[in-house]
Amino acid sequence: MSPDLTSLIELQRIDTIIGEARRAVAAHPARLDAMDQRLSAATQAVQVAKDRLQACQDARRVLEKEAAVFQGRLSKYREQLPSVKTNREYQAMQKEIEVAEQELGAVEEKVLESMVEADGLAADVKAAESALAAERQDLDREKAALQEEFSKTTATLEAALRARADLIPGMSATAVALFEQVARVRKGIAVSEATRDGLCTECHVRLRPQVFQLVRQNDSIMQCDSCRRILYYVPPPPAEQPDASAASPS
Ligand SMILES: [Zn+2]
């Protein structure tokens, strides 16, 4: 294989690593943000549950005050009852007492309902708090893993950049220029393997027989007529795999 072609294949391998590493580095802040958003969503869910419980308790205190007012009125009527003079007054007072009892009963019922509701809301708060604690644990673990992955990616990127810087000076200027030119318009993929059937792996277009013939020799820089990528060929292994023939059904 021509030394330039060998270097071009290597350059493509390095650039693919660099491209992937850079995309991962660029995506890193968004991945961290997504984790922070999960935490704030869980935190907010706790706050919402606590606010509901608080509102329910506040409403109950209002009801309890109302109940105390009705209770006070009722006690006053009952105290006054023995001192009324006429039957008519007595009946009127009885009527007042009846109304006050009904009002008190209605409020007390609401207080009970509110207590039952508060039990449910308190359970919601506990559930939201457990969910937050679980989410926090998950996120701690995921963040540590992400951080480790990020460090590895950064190290890989640095190593690939060093390897690229070492490789380029040994290549011909025309080979490097051609690579850069094709890579620019082909999303960073400037080198493509020709398949055994004579197709360009990247654009899937069939190579002309005379082009394929030259590509198979791997000793000159040939480009795909369709996508302009630099082509190379990996010959089949010299002998059939004995395992493969033994495993065949015939
Ligand atoms: Zn092609």
Side-chain angles (χ1 to χ4, degrees):
M1 190 178 274
S2 91
D4 263 346
L5 195 51
T6 306
S7 299
L8 283 164
I9 294 167
E10 177 62 4
L11 182 56
Q12 183 61 66
R13 192 187 69 80
I14 292 169
D15 271 14
T16 301
I17 292 169
I18 290 172
E20 279 169 10
R22 283 192 170 141
R23 276 191 292 279
V25 167
H28 186 70
R31 291 175 74 185
L32 278 178
D33 277 357
M35 288 184 182
D36 288 343
Q37 275 168 23
R38 276 167 56 192
L39 185 62
S40 60
T43 309
Q44 207 189 340
V46 171
Q47 195 52 53
V48 167
K50 281 183 174 171
D51 288 349
R52 280 195 190 132
L53 178 60
Q54 186 64 54
C56 176
Q57 286 166 339
D58 290 348
R60 189 161 81 235
R61 264 187 282 282
V62 172
L63 289 170
E64 282 166 347
K65 273 182 195 158
E66 275 179 37
V69 170
F70 293 135
Q71 186 68 63
R73 202 174 292 166
L74 196 54
S75 305
K76 196 184 74 188
Y77 292 151
R78 281 178 180 149
E79 276 167 30
Q80 289 171 352
L81 194 58
S83 54
V84 294
K85 306 280 189 295
T86 67
N87 200 31
R88 194 195 178 94
E89 274 178 355
Y90 185 83
Q91 273 171 1
M93 188 64 81
Q94 280 284 36
K95 185 71 194 159
E96 295 278 21
I97 288 172
E98 207 175 294
V99 170
E101 276 173 344
Q102 276 168 8
E103 285 170 334
L104 180 62
V107 173
E108 279 175 344
E109 197 171 313
K110 281 187 193 166
V111 169
L112 281 178
E113 281 168 9
S114 167
M115 287 167 88
V116 171
E117 191 192 350
D119 284 348
L121 292 173
D124 290 350
V125 170
K126 277 214 157 59
E129 281 172 343
S130 315
L132 173 60
E135 187 73 302
R136 216 187 274 280
Q137 265 191 347
D138 284 353
L139 284 169
D140 282 351
R141 203 173 47 238
E142 287 176 37
K143 265 191 184 173
L146 184 65
Q147 194 51 52
E148 198 186 327
E149 189 190 316
F150 182 71
S151 304
K152 277 185 190 161
T153 304
T154 311
T156 302
L157 178 58
E158 281 165 8
L161 288 170
R162 278 196 302 276
R164 193 183 206 279
D166 289 346
L167 181 66
I168 296 283
M171 295 174 70
S172 77
T174 47
V176 175
L178 178 64
F179 180 95
E180 301 287 8
Q181 184 205 330
V182 178
R184 212 165 24 248
V185 291
R186 293 292 174 206
K187 291 181 175 161
I189 310 292
V191 178
S192 174
E193 183 181 344
T195 67
R196 308 248 165 91
D197 318 334
L199 302 181
C200 168
T201 306
E202 292 297 330
C203 75
H204 310 293
V205 167
R206 183 169 295 282
L207 309 175
R208 282 182 292 127
Q210 56 270 50
V211 172
F212 187 39
Q213 188 53 41
L214 289 168
V215 168
R216 281 158 62 115
Q217 289 165 17
N218 276 333
D219 57 11
S220 58
I221 290 177
M222 298 297 298
Q223 288 174 267
C224 171
D225 284 334
S226 170
C227 71
R228 309 305 299 156
R229 289 189 179 93
I230 301 154
L231 294 162
Y232 68 98
Y233 182 71
V234 179
E240 284 293 290
Q241 299 281 332
D243 283 358
S245 58
S248 84
S250 61

